[in-house]
């Protein structure tokens, strides 16, 4: 149990079977060994499965299924709108995010739809600009984690043996280190050591937050991808490719990874959501992006708990921004999973 | 037995991991904190700080400090805090127990409600219940913990007092002043923090359970059972749930392992003197004597429960149960 | 089969969250009673009208890790505010104005004598006459033997926080039990701090079997008492004070039966706990919005001004940027006029703490003695024209990007403060754009509190710093401003002069002031130091940090809040608090 999503991200938030623990458990226990039940969605996007019965292409089919998930559709629309406004704040407001408006701590009004904050800055502008950072962080973390996790997972799953063991144990080490410790260590090292500063990024910068958070999200992806790869390794087309002389790299890149696409996509969306929340928690703990010149939803919430009842707009607008965005991303992920994994819906 | 050798191999890796972690964290603590720095204040001269360093042996080589500590640790001597001279183990034990209480209660709530909600959602897929539960769980997943904790304090304590003149819950801490021990008072204090932790857990577990149940409900295995004439209720409870719970158990095992160091925000907001608070104070003091045993225990717990999860997965694999 | 994923679930979910939102929002109406009386004279205890008995629960914002008054734990204010100051006796004690007065343990003012008193060198002797009524909680009298023992304990304890003052004592003559004659090697102006003052106490000789190394003692208990209270118990989650039955000083005999202290370290939770009635009083750090939340029926609060002050500190010896523009006196002088202090007070401080005053002296506070000479920084106002003339007069010229440059170096400075501290980050947000328009570039470079105070400041890894310093009631500033206290690799970065300021004349004055017990002569020296601080534009003072005591006025009555300014904390006079009948 943990109260920060990053900690659970190591075990994924959706495709339940995608926590394929170490599958080298000996068969005395009746364990499936390398043939564990296909974790993650058996992809419809890949080219490995049996020919589908319907004449529609797999992509079309997935889109159809996605469309049926109303919440996911609504969420997609909301997210698109949100992205537009976040990228072009000028559409909604003339104020800059750090500009003093002369009106302090005013609630929502016609001049300031989201009110103003403790030093007279326009909240709407700050929420929109803050969204740029928060969304960037979310996406960047999820993608970096996906890249690292996929590489580790494919390599571990494909090669097996000692390499697999080693990689899985490294994964375990990362899973075992508490978020707290790593945060603090990584949060402080760049200020003491120049190499840490180049590697991680200057303290309080977006880059450092992305680096630190990615280290907590790749493990789940690695496990999921490894699971899929394990189930696909023995399939005929892989054997065939090998027989034809394809290199390992080619097999991994051309055949295995694309078949994981479904699982990867779903996990990425869920990680985006988790990363946004974790960024806000980090700011609450005092480790986030520095706020003097860079608003993020997380650091806008920092230090304003005292106003929850007296100037609630300070808390609710960034708070709701987080909640709604994360909600929509989660729904989107749910819709994607439904679209890509038909087994989870009762078929007609 | 292959299983035994497997377990032993994993435990071997565990020891290695713990050792590696201890070295890394020791280095990090030494690099980023300075116990003598807690002495900053008016009236404290440079020579006072120097003398303080000498008194506490802080200038001895790092390697020497680490090996001394490790040597003591291996013989079971956890030593005394560098700052307060209090023996480490009793306070650490208390912190473990405090976090365990909170974690276990939250876990119990999570599992019970998560499984129930997930099962019903699956059985009545697309019903209003399913939709409401889905909506609620996604919202639960989307609220940052500290925000939710704050809300609970405001609504369940302050607002209840306004509306009803009183409240059975408390904003913080483990016991009312003067009370101690695990009784009704403690349980009343546990409600808010446990709910804060559980709200996300329920969201996740109910989604898991739902997905797992749907999987099972659609399986051939169940169709066979139904065709045989087994009552629907029996089908659901005896067969479907049992099978659906399997992947959940492995996930739950990992979750339990993460309890010890996982309740950072909750312990801070609700003033719960558990493991997270213990670590933060120790780190602030630069007190590696307190930080390292804490780390050993946390890492060990995570590894052990991951191992349990792996073993469970092997034991409970549904393929054995088919037929 | 219908497959409706209607919007129903979204509606339900959304209305759930809206309900939560609605419940949590909303105004509290109630009348506000706020006295902004900051520290008056110590209240007389008119106990005639107050009822006796009952229990009080106090919330502590930080929790002492142990109660030892000599070693590390003593460096934390709350060790004193929560426990030690209520239990352990002092010889000279501070009133809320920062004056040293004889405590109930003494019989009259101590006598200063010896050649050193006048001419600044030579022996210097203090004679303390002890009150014959003064007894420990077991009834045994407090004697000069205790005074002597205490000196030896402070000197002999491993890991003692500071020996300032103690290591200048030549001897303590305890031949007469009612009189302690203390001989110093040199005159020592801060003599009031020994056995009392801000953070020192008088300890009981008989409690330790002759041991003088007390590093392993008084960890979770104080085995004796010479104050109004006895420490009944102390644990990481609770401490209990009960009245000292043997206490001889009528004015401070407690009215209630029991005071329980509990930690509530999260600021928001602290406020909620007070509002919920789980604690009866709090003494919190001022935080944004806190006053608005406490403007409700049944809660009273009082403002004070503490000995902590904040401003922009210039590190001339920055190792982060060894060629820092701060080395140029013109740059520092220009910065004084480039920052709009009035705006900071108006926008950041006064909305929450209406009485916050601008601080106009460089190392002291006006509420403690006469040391603060406001004329030092009074003339420093926001003056863009002056900034330009000072900089350009020193050879700086604006570059194409609008930032001043000289000899290829841009006037760009990094600015460090505590990350996540809303007040400070707001100040940065206000100042940075404004200053940029004047041609000075400030770049934020914040760290968490531990890193900033434990690592960066001591290692001179800062340039412009925004943080708070404590003005000890004693006006010495040598530790933070004298040349020998600059942290360097040679002294293992042990000093606290984070300003890297080395002015020989000022340092000399500091040493002389530290050795001048005569208050008038000392005052003159301190004012001269203040002038030099201004002359060298060493730092820019902003304000004294407000202090704040809040309590449940439905439940408690008495002179609550009168010790808000006191070095001993807002709870110090809890002996005069009682339950409302």
């Amino acid at each position: 149990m943990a109260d920060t999503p990053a900690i659970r991200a190591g075990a994924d938030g959706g495709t339940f079977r995608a926590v394929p623990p170490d599958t080298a458990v000996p068969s005395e226990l009746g364990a499936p060994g390398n043939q564990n039940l296909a974790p993650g969605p058996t992809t419809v996007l890949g080219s490995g499965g049996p020919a589908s019965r319907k004449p529609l292409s797999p992509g079309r089919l997935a889109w159809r299924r996605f469309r049926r998930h109303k919440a996911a559709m609504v969420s997609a629309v909301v997210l698109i709108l949100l992205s537009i406004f976040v990228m072009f704040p000028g559409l909604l407001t003339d104020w800059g995010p750090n500009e003093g408006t002369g009106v302090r701590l005013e609630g929502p009004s016609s001049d300031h739809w989201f009110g103003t904050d403790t030093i007279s800055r326009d909240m709407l502008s700050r929420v929109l600009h803050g969204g740029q950072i928060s969304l960037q962080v979310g996406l960047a973390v999820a993608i970096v984690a996906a890249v690292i996790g996929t590489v580790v997972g494919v390599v571990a799953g494909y090669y097996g043996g000692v390499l697999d063991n080693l990689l899985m144990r490294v994964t375990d080490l990362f899973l075992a280190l508490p978020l707290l410790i790593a945060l603090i260590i990584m949060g402080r090292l760049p200020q003491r050591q120049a190499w840490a500063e180049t590697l991680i990024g200057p303290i309080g910068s977006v880059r450092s937050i992305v680096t630190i958070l990615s280290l907590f999200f790749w493990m789940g992806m690695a496990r999921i991808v490894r699971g899929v790869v394990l189930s696909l390794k023995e399939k005929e087309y892989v054997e065939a490719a090998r027989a034809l002389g394809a290199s390992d790299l080619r097999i991994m890149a051309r055949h295995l990874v694309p078949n994981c696409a479904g699982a990867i996509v779903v996990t990425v969306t869920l990680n985006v959501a988790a990363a946004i929340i974790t960024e806000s928690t980090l700011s609450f703990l005092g480790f986030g992006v520095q706020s003097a010149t860079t608003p993020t939803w997380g650091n806008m919430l920092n230090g304003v708990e005292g106003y929850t009842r007296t100037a609630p707009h300070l808390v609710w607008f960034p708070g709701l921004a987080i909640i709604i965005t994360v909600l929509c991303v989660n729904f989107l992920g749910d819709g994607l999973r439904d679209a890509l994994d038909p087994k989870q819906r009762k078929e007609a | 037995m292959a299983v035994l050798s497997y377990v032993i191999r994993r435990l071997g890796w565990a020891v290695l991991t713990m050792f590696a972690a201890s070295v890394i964290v020791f280095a990090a603590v030494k690099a980023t904190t300075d116990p003598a720095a807690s002495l900053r204040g008016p009236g404290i001269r440079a020579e006072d700080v120097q003398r303080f360093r000498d008194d506490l042996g802080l200038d001895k080589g790092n390697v020497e400090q680490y090996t001394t500590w490790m040597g003591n640790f291996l013989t079971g001597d956890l030593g005394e805090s560098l700052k307060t001279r209090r023996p480490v183990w009793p306070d650490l034990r208390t912190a473990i127990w405090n976090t365990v209480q909170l974690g276990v209660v939250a876990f119990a709530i999570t599992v019970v409600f998560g499984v129930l909600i997930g099962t019903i959602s699956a059985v009545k897929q697309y019903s209003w219940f399913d939709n409401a539960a889905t909506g609620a769980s996604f919202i639960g997943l989307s609220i940052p913990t500290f925000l939710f904790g704050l809300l609970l304090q405001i609504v369940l304590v302050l607002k209840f007092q306004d509306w009803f003149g009183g409240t059975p819950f408390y904003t913080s801490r483990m016991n009312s002043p003067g009370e101690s021990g695990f009784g009704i008072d403690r349980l009343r204090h546990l409600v808010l923090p446990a709910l804060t932790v559980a709200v996300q857990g329920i969201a996740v577990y109910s989604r898991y359970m739902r997905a797992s149940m749907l999987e099972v409900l659609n399986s051939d295995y169940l169709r066979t059972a139904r065709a045989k004439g087994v009552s629907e209720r029996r089908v659901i409870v005896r067969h479907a749930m049992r099978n659906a719970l399997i992947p959940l158990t492995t996930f739950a095992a990992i979750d339990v392992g993460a309890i010890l160091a996982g309740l950072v925000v909750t312990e801070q907001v609700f003033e719960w003197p558990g493991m997270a608070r213990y670590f933060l104070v120790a780190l602030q003091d630069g007190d590696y004597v307190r930080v390292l045993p804490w780390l050993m225990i946390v890492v060990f717990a995570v590894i052990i429960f991951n191992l349990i999860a792996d073993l469970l997965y092997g034991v409970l694999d549904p393929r054995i149960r088919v037929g | 089969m219908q497959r409706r994923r209607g919007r129903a679930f979204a509606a339900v979910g959304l209305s759930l969250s809206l309900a939560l939102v609605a419940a949590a929002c909303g105004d509290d109406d109630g009348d506000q009673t706020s006295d902004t009386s900051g520290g008056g004279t110590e209240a007389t205890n008119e106990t005639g009208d107050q009822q006796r008995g009952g229990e009080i629960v106090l919330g502590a914002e930080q929790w002492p890790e142990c109660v030892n008054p000599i070693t590390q734990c003593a460096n934390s204010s709350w060790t004193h505010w929560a426990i030690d100051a209520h239990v352990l006796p002092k010889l000279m004690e501070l009133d809320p104005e920062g004056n040293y007065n004889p405590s109930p343990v003494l019989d009259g003012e101590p006598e200063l004598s010896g050649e050193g008193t006048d001419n600044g060198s030579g022996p210097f002797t203090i004679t303390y006459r002890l009150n014959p009524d003064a007894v420990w909680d077991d009834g045994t009298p407090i004697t000069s033997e205790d005074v002597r023992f205490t000196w030896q304990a402070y000197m002999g304890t491993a890991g003692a926080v500071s020996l300032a003052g103690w290591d200048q004592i030549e001897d303590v003559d305890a031949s007469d039990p009612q009189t302690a004659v203390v001989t110093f090697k040199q005159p020592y102006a801060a003599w009031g701090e020994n056995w009392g003052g801000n953070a020192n106490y008088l300890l009981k000789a008989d409690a330790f079997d002759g041991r003088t190394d007390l590093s392993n003692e008084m960890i979770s208990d104080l085995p004796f008492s010479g104050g109004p209270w006895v420490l009944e118990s102390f644990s990481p989650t609770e401490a209990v004070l009960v009245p000292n039955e043997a206490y001889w000083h009528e004015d401070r005999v407690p009215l209630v039966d029991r005071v329980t202290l509990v930690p509530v370290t999260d600021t928001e939770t602290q406020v909620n706990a007070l509002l919920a009635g789980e604690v009866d009083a709090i003494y919190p750090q001022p935080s944004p919005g806190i006053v608005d939340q406490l403007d409700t029926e049944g809660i009273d609060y009082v403002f004070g001004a503490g000995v902590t002050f904040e401003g922009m500190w210039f590190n001339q010896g920055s190792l982060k940027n060894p060629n820092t523009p701060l080395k140029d006196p013109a740059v520092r002088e220009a910065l004084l006029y480039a920052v709009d202090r009035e705006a900071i007070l108006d926008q950041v401080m006064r909305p929450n703490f209406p009485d916050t005053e601008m601080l106009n002296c460089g190392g002291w506070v006006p509420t403690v003695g006469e040391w603060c000479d406001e004329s030092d920084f009074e003339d420093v106002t926001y003056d863009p024209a002056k900034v330009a003339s000072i900089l350009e007069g020193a050879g700086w010229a604006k570059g194409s990007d609008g930032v001043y440059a000289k000899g290829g170096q841009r006037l760009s400075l990094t600015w460090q403060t505590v990350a996540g501290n809303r007040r400070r980050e707001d100040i940065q947000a206000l100042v940075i754009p404004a200053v940029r328009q004047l041609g000075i570039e400030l770049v934020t470079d914040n760290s968490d509190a531990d890193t900033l105070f434990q690592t960066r400041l001591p290692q001179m890894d800062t340039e412009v710093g925004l943080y708070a310093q404590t003005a000890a009631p004693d006006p010495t500033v040598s530790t933070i401003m004298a040349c020998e206290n600059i942290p360097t690799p040679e002294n293992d970065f042990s000093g606290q002069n984070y300003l890297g300021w080395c002015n020989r004349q000022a340092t000399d004055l500091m040493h002389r002031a530290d050795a001048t017990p005569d208050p008038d002569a000392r005052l003159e020296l301190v004012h001269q130091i203040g002038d030099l601080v201004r002359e060298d534009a060493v730092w820019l003072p902003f304000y004294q940090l407000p202090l704040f005591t809040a309590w449940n006025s439905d439940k408690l009555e008495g002179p609550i809040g009168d010790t808000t300014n006191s070095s001993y904390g807002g709870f110090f006079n809890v002996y005069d608090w009682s339950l409302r009948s």
Side-chain angles (χ1 to χ4, degrees), chain B residues 31-53 55-56 59 80-87 91 98 125-128 130-136 138-139 143 148 150-155 157-159 161-163 167 169-179 189 207 210 267-271 273 277 280-287 290, chain C residues 1-6 8-10 12-14 16-17 20-28 55 57 65-66 71-73 75-76 157-165 167-168 198 215-216 219-220 234-238 258 260 262-266 268-269 271-273 275-279 449-451 453-455 458 469-472 476 479-480 484-485 490-496 498:
Chain B
T32 57
T33 60
D34 177 11
S38 67
L39 290 187
R40 311 297 163 179
I44 297 176
R45 310 156 296 183
E47 64 236 51
D48 289 314
V49 177
Q50 280 289 42
R51 180 188 32 86
F52 179 80
R53 285 216 174 93
D55 282 349
L56 290 190
D59 285 336
E80 293 173 341
S81 157
L82 278 184
K83 175 166 181 178
T84 64
R85 304 304 175 96
R86 289 170 73 102
D91 287 341
N98 292 343
Q125 196 177 16
Y126 308 132
S127 66
W128 71 268
D130 183 23
N131 293 333
T134 305
F138 274 107
I139 291 185
I143 302 184
F148 191 73
L150 187 65
L151 270 182
L152 281 186
Q153 278 182 351
I154 293 177
V155 174
V157 178
L158 297 178
K159 290 293 177 178
Q161 284 180 339
D162 284 346
W163 300 331
T167 173
F169 310 120
Y170 294 90
T171 62
S172 53
R173 291 174 309 104
M174 293 199 328
N175 280 110
S176 305
E179 306 261 0
H189 280 86
R207 297 299 298 163
R210 181 181 178 280
E267 288 186 14
Q268 167 144 344
V269 171
F270 293 102
E271 196 66 43
R277 151 128 320 145
L280 286 172
V281 172
L283 184 70
Q284 190 176 50
D285 293 341
D287 195 347
R290 275 185 284 167
Chain C
M1 198 159 147
Q2 274 288 51
R3 274 175 247 236
R4 263 185 320 110
R5 271 209 197 253
F9 67 85
V12 172
L14 222 43
L16 263 176
S17 68
L20 266 180
V21 170
C25 288
D27 304 321
D28 286 314
E55 301 187 9
V57 179
E65 295 185 62
C66 66
T71 58
Q72 278 193 75
C73 297
N75 198 237
S76 158
T157 297
V161 162
S162 171
L163 294 186
D167 57 10
Q168 276 122 302
N198 201 19
S215 49
N216 280 316
I219 300 194
S220 309
F234 172 79
S235 78
T237 51
E238 193 174 280
R258 191 180 176 87
T260 308
V262 292
V264 207
T265 50
D266 181 75
E268 206 34 47
T269 305
V271 171
N272 288 341
L275 292 170
E278 292 171 34
V279 299
D450 291 343
T451 304
F453 293 111
Q454 292 191 25
T455 310
Q469 272 284 12
T470 312
T476 175
T479 45
I480 58 171
E484 69 268 13
N485 280 317
E490 285 74 41
N491 65 20
D492 248 335
F493 295 105
S494 301
Q496 287 187 71
Y498 304 141

Side-chain angles (χ1 to χ4, degrees), chain C residues 81 111 250 274 361 383 503 550:
Chain C
W81 294 346
E111 235 173 74
E250 296 287 327
L274 178 66
C361 59
D383 195 336
N503 178 317

Side-chain angles (χ1 to χ4, degrees), chain B residues 87-100:
Chain B
V88 169
W89 178 238
D91 287 341
L92 184 56
R93 186 182 56 205
T94 309
I96 294 174
W97 169 230
N98 292 343
T99 297
V100 163

Side-chain angles (χ1 to χ4, degrees), chain C residues 333-530:
Chain C
E333 183 77 14
L335 277 170
L336 296 186
Y337 294 98
V339 175
D340 190 347
R341 297 191 291 163
E342 196 64 43
I344 292 175
L345 281 177
D346 275 339
Q347 299 218 33
V348 180
M349 295 306 289
R350 287 188 185 130
N352 285 305
F353 309 103
D355 294 335
T356 312
E357 298 288 340
M358 199 177 314
L359 181 63
N360 281 323
C361 59
W364 304 271
V365 291
T367 51
V368 174
E370 307 287 314
W371 316 106
C372 176
D373 180 5
E374 304 251 28
S375 67
D376 283 342
F377 283 86
E378 227 166 31
D379 64 314
V380 173
T381 54
Y382 179 61
D383 195 336
K386 211 160 187 176
V387 172
S389 72
I390 294 175
L391 284 175
E392 279 155 23
W396 292 86
K398 273 198 186 173
S400 52
D401 59 355
V403 174
Y404 279 104
K406 175 175 169 184
Q409 181 190 42
R410 288 172 79 241
L411 187 40
S412 175
L413 302 165
T414 53
W415 188 359
Q416 290 80 22
T417 189
V418 177
N421 182 305
R422 187 64 186 219
R423 174 182 84 239
R424 290 174 175 143
E425 285 178 346
D426 279 355
I427 292 177
Q428 284 183 320
L430 268 179
V431 170
I432 290 178
V435 147
R436 181 69 172 75
Q437 291 193 337
L438 301 182
I440 302 176
E441 184 179 70
L442 287 170
V443 179
T444 52
D445 178 22
N446 302 339
S447 320
D448 63 280
D450 291 343
T451 304
L452 185 63
F453 293 111
Q454 292 191 25
T455 310
R456 301 193 68 183
L457 279 172
Q459 313 240 353
M460 301 295 265
D461 187 32
T462 55
E463 236 177 325
V464 174
L466 173 64
Y467 54 89
Q469 272 284 12
T470 312
D474 186 270
T476 175
V477 289
S478 324
T479 45
I480 58 171
M481 290 191 187
C483 290
E484 69 268 13
N485 280 317
I486 297 179
T488 62
E490 285 74 41
N491 65 20
D492 248 335
F493 295 105
S494 301
Q496 287 187 71
N497 181 346
Y498 304 141
L499 303 167
W501 181 47
C502 184
N503 178 317
R504 289 285 153 204
Q505 187 190 1
T507 300
D508 181 57
L509 283 168
M510 289 178 217
H511 291 154
R512 281 169 54 198
D514 288 349
T516 308
D518 175 48
D520 296 320
R522 198 177 185 198
L523 187 65
E524 179 53 38
L525 294 169
V526 168
H527 281 177
Q528 287 181 34
I529 300 173

Side-chain angles (χ1 to χ4, degrees), chain A residues 136-161:
Chain A
Q136 271 176 42
V137 168
L139 274 171
V141 168
I143 291 175
V144 171
V147 168
I148 301 177
T150 304
V151 167
V152 169
V154 164
V155 168
Y158 183 71
Y159 286 110

Side-chain angles (χ1 to χ4, degrees), chain B residues 1-321:
Chain B
M1 260 180 72
V3 179
L4 192 59
S5 81
Y6 171 74
V7 170
I8 291 178
R9 259 188 302 126
R10 284 290 293 268
L11 287 177
W13 278 104
V15 169
L16 222 62
T17 309
M18 285 168 64
F19 176 70
S22 78
V23 172
I24 295 174
V25 173
F26 178 82
V29 170
K30 278 296 174 185
T32 57
T33 60
D34 177 11
S38 67
L39 290 187
R40 311 297 163 179
I44 297 176
R45 310 156 296 183
E47 64 236 51
D48 289 314
V49 177
Q50 280 289 42
R51 180 188 32 86
F52 179 80
R53 285 216 174 93
D54 292 336
D55 282 349
L56 290 190
L58 292 175
D59 285 336
K60 280 194 293 215
N62 281 343
V63 176
E64 186 185 333
Q65 291 183 45
Y66 178 79
T67 45
T68 313
W69 176 82
M70 183 49 98
N72 289 337
F73 180 73
L74 290 174
T75 58
D77 174 15
L78 261 51
E80 293 173 341
S81 157
L82 278 184
K83 175 166 181 178
T84 64
R85 304 304 175 96
R86 289 170 73 102
V88 169
W89 178 238
D91 287 341
L92 184 56
R93 186 182 56 205
T94 309
I96 294 174
W97 169 230
N98 292 343
T99 297
V100 163
Q101 286 174 58
L102 179 53
V104 166
V105 170
F107 184 67
I109 297 177
T110 300
V111 168
V112 165
F113 283 94
V115 166
L116 262 176
I117 293 177
T119 305
I120 301 179
S121 292
V123 168
K124 298 198 185 312
Q125 196 177 16
Y126 308 132
S127 66
W128 71 268
F129 182 88
D130 183 23
N131 293 333
T134 305
S137 17
F138 274 107
I139 291 185
L141 276 175
S142 311
I143 302 184
T145 316
F146 64 92
L147 207 55
F148 191 73
L150 187 65
L151 270 182
L152 281 186
Q153 278 182 351
I154 293 177
V155 174
L156 289 185
V157 178
L158 297 178
K159 290 293 177 178
F160 268 34
Q161 284 180 339
D162 284 346
W163 300 331
F164 308 124
T167 173
F169 310 120
Y170 294 90
T171 62
S172 53
R173 291 174 309 104
M174 293 199 328
N175 280 110
S176 305
E179 306 261 0
S180 62
F182 199 97
I184 296 290
D185 185 55
R186 174 70 55 83
L187 285 172
R188 286 168 61 181
H189 280 86
L190 265 173
V191 172
L192 256 61
L195 273 184
T196 305
V197 179
V199 73
Q200 296 196 336
I202 293 178
V204 171
Y205 277 68
S206 64
R207 297 299 298 163
Y208 268 80
M209 190 62 191
R210 181 181 178 280
S212 184
M213 275 294 282
L214 283 175
E215 176 79 24
V216 172
L217 286 173
N218 285 336
S219 69
D220 298 328
Y221 166 63
L222 270 207
R223 288 197 190 123
T224 316
R226 280 195 192 101
K228 280 192 193 163
V230 180
S231 83
E232 189 64 14
R233 158 157 281 194
R234 206 152 195 210
V235 164
I236 292 176
V237 177
R238 284 286 301 277
H239 300 282
M241 272 182 82
R242 270 171 61 197
N243 281 306
L245 277 172
I246 289 163
L248 224 66
T249 8
T250 59
F251 178 68
I254 296 179
D255 232 12
V256 169
I259 287 183
L260 279 185
L263 304 180
V264 183
V265 176
T266 313
E267 288 186 14
Q268 167 144 344
V269 171
F270 293 102
E271 196 66 43
W272 198 264
M275 290 289 273
R277 151 128 320 145
Y278 184 90
F279 170 75
L280 286 172
V281 172
L283 184 70
Q284 190 176 50
D285 293 341
D287 195 347
Y288 66 88
V289 177
R290 275 185 284 167
V291 170
L292 290 179
W294 180 94
L295 178 75
M296 295 287 103
I297 291 177
V298 165
V299 168
F300 186 68
V302 172
I303 291 179
I304 284 296
F305 279 95
N306 279 358
L307 177 58
I308 292 178
D310 289 346
L311 290 176
L312 276 179
Y313 193 85
V315 164
L316 298 176
D317 181 71
R319 283 165 57 100
I320 342 171
R321 296 186 170 278

